[in-house]
Amino acid sequence: LMVSMQKELADIFRDQYPGIRFVTMDEVAALKPYATYRVGLFFGGDTDHQPYDFRLVGLHRTAGHILGLEDVSDQPPRVDMSRERIVKDPYVVIATQASSQAKYWNNPSGWREVVSWLKSHGWRVLCIDRMPEYGSGVVWNHIPWGSEDFTGDLPLGERIDLIKDADAFVGLSSGLSWLAWCCRVPIVLISGFTDPVNEFATPGRVINPAVCHGCWNDMRCEFDHGDFLWCPRKETLDERFECTKAITSPMVIRRLEKILC
């Protein structure tokens, strides 16, 4: 079995799966495999390259379906968690940045209030995003006030070293939440634009179904990769991102209380 993926991803899996040969895209051209599976997300309602539209089954399950697996369970991949603990104090890791504004927690005071609550109860709060600020045009998102700046474009192995010993991880529907899932830490996942089926199962999932939500998993909505402010159901800026504006800090804190207290 040969698997081609980005080097930074292959580096965290290679030693955990000695039976798999991880190759680069350049090496693929010279290979002559018996069969090839292209595992990914296929947009536009494409069910030729995936048995079911990924919006119906979730991101990780669609990979299993493409490989012909019938019983696709929520089983995280293995990563190396053998390194010594770096931070000796009790701490919680947060990841607040994303590739589209719909993925952010758009409640204006949410992160500040959650960070304040965590610190008042004795936890350090480490922000491990790649960048301390990210956005597009006139919309920019900044590292939450009161959190410690552990941001940087670092190898994923170093991110694992921090996440694995955290008492909890608080994040969005983004890559670092999936990495935290690999580390088997308690996860609070804040997302309104995706439905719970989209991500791995976690009792810390926070969504407000009383407002507009789940457009990513709506077969009637097609994601626009070029529009950072994509919000298919709301036209004005004041109306957009209602799904996470309506997720309050007490809703997140209640999840954290169950995990930490």
Side-chain angles (χ1 to χ4, degrees):
L1 174 63
M2 293 168 285
V3 175
S4 174
M5 61 171 59
Q6 293 175 309
K7 181 180 183 301
E8 57 267 30
L9 295 175
D11 286 347
I12 67 173
F13 296 129
R14 185 176 291 106
D15 292 341
Q16 303 300 309
Y17 294 91
I20 298 176
R21 176 185 170 192
F22 291 87
V23 297
T24 65
M25 288 300 296
D26 292 336
E27 293 174 304
V28 168
L31 300 176
K32 297 185 183 298
Y34 168 75
T36 300
Y37 294 83
R38 299 185 181 276
V39 180
L41 302 183
F42 298 90
F43 289 79
D46 183 345
T47 53
D48 292 329
H49 297 89
Q50 56 193 2
Y52 309 101
D53 193 299
F54 70 88
R55 290 172 290 187
L56 296 177
V57 298
L59 298 183
H60 53 316
R61 296 182 196 90
T62 198
H65 290 149
I66 290 171
L67 294 174
L69 304 176
E70 296 180 1
D71 183 17
V72 184
S73 61
D74 282 12
Q75 182 177 342
R78 299 190 300 269
V79 294
D80 183 5
M81 296 188 286
S82 64
R83 296 180 182 87
E84 291 186 9
R85 181 177 179 128
I86 298 172
V87 178
K88 304 305 180 184
D89 301 318
Y91 69 96
V92 169
V93 168
I94 64 172
T96 68
Q97 303 286 8
S99 57
S100 174
Q101 195 64 40
K103 299 180 181 181
Y104 281 83
W105 185 12
N106 289 289
N107 186 299
S109 62
W111 281 116
R112 176 180 57 80
E113 292 171 353
V114 166
V115 170
S116 177
W117 181 86
L118 285 166
K119 293 175 68 175
S120 70
H121 285 74
W123 281 277
R124 292 174 61 180
V125 182
L126 316 183
C127 181
I128 64 166
D129 289 303
R130 177 182 297 177
M131 288 170 282
E133 57 274 324
Y134 187 77
S136 178
V138 297
V139 178
W140 291 86
N141 304 271
H142 300 269
I143 184 172
W145 177 261
S147 62
E148 299 181 42
D149 190 347
F150 277 68
T151 62
D153 191 5
L154 302 175
L156 293 177
E158 294 187 25
R159 290 306 185 207
I160 291 170
D161 295 343
L162 272 179
I163 295 172
K164 69 181 180 64
D165 293 312
D167 291 327
F169 174 94
V170 188
L172 313 170
S173 180
S174 62
L176 285 172
S177 292
W178 289 93
L179 191 63
W181 182 52
C182 296
C183 295
R184 275 78 166 175
V185 299
I187 296 172
V188 175
L189 195 155
I190 305 165
S191 182
F193 92 114
T194 62
D195 283 332
V197 69
N198 191 71
E199 294 88 19
F200 50 85
T202 171
R205 173 64 188 247
V206 187
I207 187 172
N208 188 342
V211 298
C212 179
H213 68 282
C215 56
W216 172 265
N217 298 102
D218 187 341
M219 298 288 285
R220 298 166 296 181
C221 300
E222 196 65 37
F223 181 67
D224 184 352
H225 293 80
D227 182 6
F228 185 77
L229 298 179
W230 178 80
C231 184
R233 299 173 182 159
K234 304 293 182 179
E235 295 185 1
T236 68
L237 284 177
D238 288 343
E239 294 177 324
R240 289 186 180 186
F241 315 123
E242 176 187 47
C243 56
T244 52
K245 287 179 183 176
I247 295 176
T248 65
S249 57
M251 294 169 68
V252 175
I253 289 171
R254 282 197 293 271
R255 292 286 192 271
L256 285 167
E257 285 177 328
K258 292 182 178 180
I259 293 172
L260 299 172
C261 301

